[in-house]
Every structure is written in structure tokens, then in C-alpha cells.
Amino acid sequence: MTQEKIRRDTRSNFGARGWGIILYAFINYYLYDSIANSALNAVVPGIAADRGFNVAALTALSTPAGLIALFVSIWIGRVAAKHGTKKVQIITLISGGVFVIAWGQASNYLLYAVLLVVVVCMTNVLQLVGGTMLVTNWFPKKKGLAMGWATMGLNISAATSVTLLTLLSAKLGGMKGALTVWGCLFIAAGIATFAVHNYPEEVGCFPDNDPNEDRRKDSRLHTGWTTAKVLKDQTIWTTGVALALQGLIVVGFVSQLVPMLLGRGYSQGTALTVMTVASIG
């Protein structure tokens, strides 16, 4: 297949199993955002109200948690590259679900902080390994198109997860009950991961769903890129900084939007509506 043909092939012809991988990645992105980003709009005020904690103090803890998660994600990413995404995903989802449940039970600031760090680390690994790495394994040449579908989970999560957590909290007597249900979703996804495969060749499929792709079974796509080469590339740094600034603005704004609106006198219903509309836009 020529470079020209690759450039023009924008069809979403991923095949049944390929679409299954995209749906699985979509769910992982949804779960990641629903806990690490958007859900803080519901979780922080909810836990503060349940435990009598200071909202500002809980919100401030998210910054160091995110910084720690950055380095943990890099390390786990290397582990997944060596041992496969599937094993890492199963461990991340099941243990992450347990920690999400425990997070809702936190009875003091120290325990909340420790569990927050663990949960944020787990969810960041979730979207890296069960999202980006897995999709890249299955669609080495059409990963941009596949990721476009999979990352819709982020927007859908931002538009729905806060409302769902708020409703669950109201029905189950507090954020403790809501996070218990959410943790069970993580565990269920972890169990479902046993049906996921690291590479399409493992189940008789082709990379990019292209029969002309001759990559050998269980092999990784060798692009010539190394860690040292990536770190020396100016384009990589420019792209990385641009995406980091975008994430800083979007995540920083979205994760605190509802508490900010409530603090300015808006009703909870209005605040949730504004968040939903902003997420869809």
C-alpha cells in the first residue's frame, strides 16, 4: 500500500472485532474522565458534604495527584509495552475499582489524599494503556481515525458522568454509595478485558483490518523511534507542550465548573446543565 493510498483511506472500515476494540477504548476513556476529571465536580462537593471536609482543601489535592500520575503513567506504559496491554488493563481496572470504592469511604484528609493519588494514577494508566496503546496496536496506520471514535468517550463522560454520580448520590444516601456503584463498573470492565487481545493477529485479524498488511503474528510495529529519539525531536516537544496547555485549560476548567457555579449562586440543576452543554460543544 502506497503512502498516497494510506493518506486517502479515511474509511471507518475497522471490522467487527476492530469496532469492538474501539468500543472498549471508548469505555476506558469514559471511565477515566468520569473519575479523574469531570467527576470531581460531583465527588469533591459530595464527599465534603458527607464528611464535613473543606471543598477548597480537597480540590487542591488534585494537583499533586496529577503530577504523580504523570510519572506513574510513563513507568506503567513501559511495562505494558514489554508485557502487553491486556495484563496491565485487567490489573488496573479491577484494582482501580476497589480503590474507587475505598475513596468514597475516606474518613480523614490523609486517607482521602492517598486514595485520590492512587485513583488518579490508575485512571491515567487506564486511558493510556486501554485507550491509546491498545488502539495503536490494532490500527498502526489508521490510529488517528480510530482514536477519533474512541476519544468521544471523553466528551460523553463530561456530558453525563457528573449528572449520573449526582443522581446516584441522591438515591444512595451520599457519594459513598455512588462511588461504590462506579467502582463496580471498573471491576466489571476489568473482567470483560479477558476477552480483549493485544494485537489483531492473535484472533486471526489484520492490522487496520487490511488483508495486505503483512506484519507477523504477535509482532510490534517497528517504526525506528526510540525514547532517546523522541526526546530529541523538536516537533514532539512542540506538540506535547501545545497539548499540555490545552489540557491544562480544559481539565482545569471542567473539573471545577460545577462547584464554581454553585459558589456564585446558581442552582445545582443549572450548573449541571451548563456543564453538559459545554461538554457537548
Side-chain angles (χ1 to χ4, degrees), residues 32 36-37 40 59-74 113 116-125 127 251:
Y32 153 72
N37 296 330
L40 294 178
T59 301
L61 292 171
S62 298
T63 299
L67 291 173
I68 294 171
L70 170 64
F71 295 100
V72 171
S73 295
I74 293 173
L116 174 66
V117 169
V118 175
V119 166
V120 171
C121 287
M122 290 290 185
T123 50
N124 274 272
V125 169
Q127 59 91 20
V251 174

Side-chain angles (χ1 to χ4, degrees), residues 197-274:
H197 297 272
N198 295 308
Y199 294 95
E201 293 91 336
E202 295 176 1
V203 286
C205 297
F206 301 98
D208 297 307
N209 194 35
D210 181 7
N212 295 317
E213 178 60 58
D214 60 358
R215 191 173 71 181
R216 290 175 300 170
K217 183 178 180 181
D218 298 332
S219 67
R220 285 183 282 179
L221 185 66
H222 297 290
T223 62
W225 286 95
T226 63
T227 300
K229 187 175 180 179
V230 167
L231 293 175
K232 293 177 181 178
D233 190 273
Q234 183 178 355
T235 303
I236 295 292
W237 280 101
T238 302
T239 305
V241 170
L243 289 173
L245 291 174
Q246 177 189 8
L248 178 67
I249 296 169
V250 173
V251 174
F253 175 74
V254 170
S255 65
Q256 301 181 48
L257 179 58
V258 172
M260 180 189 71
L261 292 174
L262 292 176
R264 296 190 177 187
Y266 290 91
S267 67
Q268 186 179 61
T270 300
L272 291 175
T273 299
V274 170

Side-chain angles (χ1 to χ4, degrees), residues 71-92 125 128-129 133 137 198-199 220 227:
F71 295 100
V72 171
S73 295
I74 293 173
W75 173 59
I76 296 297
R78 295 181 69 85
V79 172
K82 182 177 181 180
H83 299 287
T85 60
K86 180 175 180 176
K87 293 177 182 178
V88 173
Q89 266 308 93
I90 292 172
I91 295 171
T92 299
V125 169
L128 168 66
V129 178
M133 291 184 70
N137 284 352
N198 295 308
Y199 294 95
R220 285 183 282 179
T227 300

Side-chain angles (χ1 to χ4, degrees), residues 30 33-35 38-39 42 156-166 182:
Y30 184 99
D33 181 81
S34 72
I35 288 297
S38 301
I156 301 299
S157 172
T160 62
S161 61
V162 176
T163 300
L164 289 173
L165 280 166
T166 301
W182 223 252

